Amino acid sequence: KGETVKRIREESCARVNISEGSCPERIITITGSTESVFRAFTMITYKLEEDLNALVANGTISSKPPVTLRLVIPASQCGSLIGKGGAKIKEIRESTGAQIQVAGDLLPNSTERGVTISGNQDSVIQCVKLICTVILESPPKGATIPYRPSPSPAALLIAGNQVFDASEFAPHPLYSVTQGGLDLQQVSGVIPDVQPV
């Protein structure tokens, strides 16, 4: 009944909105001061970890995959994130221990690209902080057409090396929140969006 998102809003002092629709992907947008945004983001990351632990405990999955988030970033900012010869992205990987991959293609009907981050909760949080620093220093160039998920009847969720039919998770809060991402553009350069992979 929205209790988790209500608690995140109250404790973080951030605005938290979840996109509507019966799509395999839903976007969580978090708006506020940098401190509020990261407080909310940290709470979401811990919730994802908690849900993954619960799936292992009840036998739904045999081993726990890493927490995986997909950030949504304007393509014009991805060059700064990758860095010359891949130096910046390598530095972020090495300093946080998180895996980070920038998609080569634009997300459908948008000028944004997906950036997938995975690892344990602390490494993911540190990785996103570093990405935000890079993004804030390199504003997007030109107009940004934001990615908006569309319905897909045969949606799959990918967690670690395992693939699940999204319908298995439809009644579970994991379906609408896990495998997320951040939209790091608009409102002072930082709006996290969490969406399934």
Side-chain angles (χ1 to χ4, degrees):
K1 297 182 179 179
E3 291 174 3
T4 301
V5 73
K6 181 181 177 185
R7 179 174 55 84
I8 291 171
R9 285 183 182 121
E10 290 172 351
E11 294 184 20
S12 69
C13 298
R15 278 180 36 220
V16 181
N17 295 308
I18 302 177
S19 64
E20 298 291 332
S22 56
C23 300
E25 299 182 313
R26 293 174 67 184
I27 298 173
I28 297 179
T29 303
I30 306 172
T31 309
S33 67
T34 302
E35 183 181 339
S36 294
V37 165
F38 281 113
R39 195 178 301 127
F41 171 71
T42 299
M43 292 174 73
I44 289 170
T45 304
Y46 276 68
K47 175 61 177 165
L48 302 186
E49 181 88 357
E50 183 183 299
D51 285 348
L52 290 173
N53 285 332
L55 288 175
V56 173
N58 68 23
T60 302
I61 55 177
S62 56
S63 61
K64 188 178 76 173
V67 173
T68 302
L69 304 177
R70 188 166 70 169
L71 315 187
V72 180
I73 299 178
S76 63
Q77 293 176 290
C78 288
S80 298
L81 177 58
I82 295 168
K84 189 173 182 180
K88 177 54 74 173
I89 201 168
K90 180 181 179 186
E91 176 190 322
I92 293 172
R93 283 189 190 115
E94 291 175 352
S95 63
T96 64
Q99 295 297 313
I100 175 172
Q101 184 170 6
V102 179
D105 296 329
L106 296 175
L107 289 163
N109 304 312
S110 78
T111 58
E112 298 183 310
R113 289 162 71 180
V115 177
T116 304
I117 299 174
S118 62
N120 64 47
Q121 56 194 17
D122 292 329
S123 66
V124 166
I125 290 165
Q126 292 305 313
C127 185
V128 170
K129 285 183 179 177
L130 290 179
I131 290 173
C132 284
T133 301
V134 173
I135 296 305
L136 286 169
E137 291 172 353
S138 307
K141 299 173 183 69
T144 298
I145 302 170
Y147 170 59
R148 292 292 172 256
S150 58
S152 172
L156 297 176
L157 291 180
I158 301 171
N161 294 324
Q162 303 180 47
V163 178
F164 306 96
D165 186 313
S167 62
E168 294 175 25
F169 293 101
H172 194 282
L174 179 70
Y175 174 66
S176 62
V177 180
T178 197
Q179 320 307 3
L182 289 181
D183 184 339
L184 301 174
Q185 148 306 300
Q186 305 171 7
V187 187
S188 302
V190 185
I191 299 185
D193 281 25
V194 179
Q195 43 186 243
V197 170

